[in-house]
Amino acid sequence: SHFVIVVFRCDLLKIKVFPVRFLDVRFHTAVLLRHQHRQLCVGIGNWYFFQEMPVSYVSVDVNPSVELTLNRRNRVTAAESRNKEGEIVLAHLELEGKDYLEAVELLVGSQAMQKYLTGDAELTVTVASSNAEELLSGLENSEITTHYHGMCRSADMDTVRSAHEIDMSLGKYQMYQLLSQYNAELTAEECQSIPMCQLGRLLAQYENGRQEA
């Protein structure tokens, strides 16, 4: 077999001989560790890309405002309340990991939400996603519209960022944007405390040319 000669303390001419096989083991071990580290990094990146990276947002608003964050598989990675009523509704629900449609139906059908869906209550579901068409199609063919007569809207991702900057739900912020076109004095804080049904009626009055609230 091949050998590598390494000289220590040349003044004493002491020589040690190490087989190449010994050095090869150390070299190949280092290469293997680097390869495994690279594979681990790629694996973590793929897991985040498919499981955790937020790519879609679904805002459910009545007066409770709850926002769902979805991954690329349309599964919920986070469910957050955007007002006090939303906190009450979410208190006894576990929505993370569920398909978005199942999560919305569980949320709207929960006992805590029912008291907000009486009378002239208006349910609005707003979606921001590059895949909005598919998500909206699922919602429009579910009990969200067939039973609860919910209104489904779409919004862009810039609207999501603007809404989050003031801790407002996507749905209510979009309604605020529409209303502010008619009433520049209206503030986001005022809209935050108004139920969606009232905001919807006010918008309809403006759109019909009647500006009395």
Side-chain angles (χ1 to χ4, degrees), residues 78-89:
E80 300 177 83
S81 62
R82 293 296 178 182
N83 57 16
K84 291 181 179 179
E85 291 85 356
E87 290 180 14
I88 295 171
V89 173

Side-chain angles (χ1 to χ4, degrees), residues 58 60 66 68 76 89 93-95 98-114 117 123 125 135 137-148:
V58 178
V60 180
V66 174
L68 307 178
V76 178
V89 173
L93 291 175
E94 181 54 61
L95 302 179
K98 298 188 182 301
D99 177 77
Y100 84 101
L101 195 54
E102 180 187 4
V104 174
E105 289 179 341
L106 284 172
L107 176 64
V108 174
S110 67
Q111 185 176 354
M113 181 68 89
Q114 296 309 299
L117 292 171
L123 169 64
V125 182
L135 298 178
S137 177
L139 290 164
E140 289 166 354
N141 289 287
S142 72
E143 64 179 31
I144 299 304
T145 53
T146 60
H147 180 71
Y148 293 103

Side-chain angles (χ1 to χ4, degrees), residues 1-15:
S1 60
H2 299 287
F3 293 87
V4 173
I5 299 176
V6 183
V7 179
F8 296 90
R9 296 189 63 185
C10 295
D11 57 323
L12 299 178
L13 297 179
K14 290 187 177 179
I15 298 175

Side-chain angles (χ1 to χ4, degrees), residues 29-43:
T29 299
V31 171
L32 179 62
L33 288 174
R34 284 198 296 272
H35 178 67
Q36 289 177 336
H37 179 264
R38 189 179 300 114
Q39 286 185 316
L40 179 61
C41 291
V42 170

Side-chain angles (χ1 to χ4, degrees), residues 16-84:
K16 283 192 176 182
V17 178
F18 293 95
V20 171
R21 290 192 301 274
F22 174 77
L23 298 176
D24 281 349
V25 169
R26 299 185 64 180
F27 173 75
H28 288 302
T29 299
V31 171
L32 179 62
L33 288 174
R34 284 198 296 272
H35 178 67
Q36 289 177 336
H37 179 264
R38 189 179 300 114
Q39 286 185 316
L40 179 61
C41 291
V42 170
I44 291 173
N46 287 338
W47 173 82
Y48 178 77
F49 183 79
F50 287 105
Q51 301 296 337
E52 292 296 321
M53 180 183 289
V55 297
S56 304
Y57 297 87
V58 178
S59 176
V60 180
D61 297 275
V62 186
N63 192 35
S65 290
V66 174
E67 197 167 272
L68 307 178
T69 303
L70 311 182
N71 63 14
R72 293 183 184 275
R73 300 180 187 277
N74 294 334
R75 293 194 170 273
V76 178
T77 59
E80 300 177 83
S81 62
R82 293 296 178 182
N83 57 16
K84 291 181 179 179

Side-chain angles (χ1 to χ4, degrees), residues 140-203:
E140 289 166 354
N141 289 287
S142 72
E143 64 179 31
I144 299 304
T145 53
T146 60
H147 180 71
Y148 293 103
H149 308 292
M151 179 182 296
C152 300
R153 302 173 178 267
S154 64
D156 57 41
M157 297 302 282
D158 287 337
T159 305
V160 175
R161 286 186 284 271
S162 298
H164 289 179
E165 285 176 0
I166 57 174
D167 197 28
M168 198 171 187
S169 74
L170 169 63
K172 276 205 170 180
Y173 186 81
Q174 186 186 56
M175 185 65 78
Y176 160 68
Q177 285 183 313
L178 293 171
L179 287 167
S180 64
Q181 296 175 10
Y182 299 96
N183 183 354
E185 296 181 358
L186 185 68
T187 67
E189 290 76 13
E190 289 172 333
C191 286
Q192 180 75 292
S193 61
I194 301 175
M196 288 296 283
C197 62
Q198 293 182 25
L199 294 175
R201 285 198 299 269
L202 182 59
L203 180 61

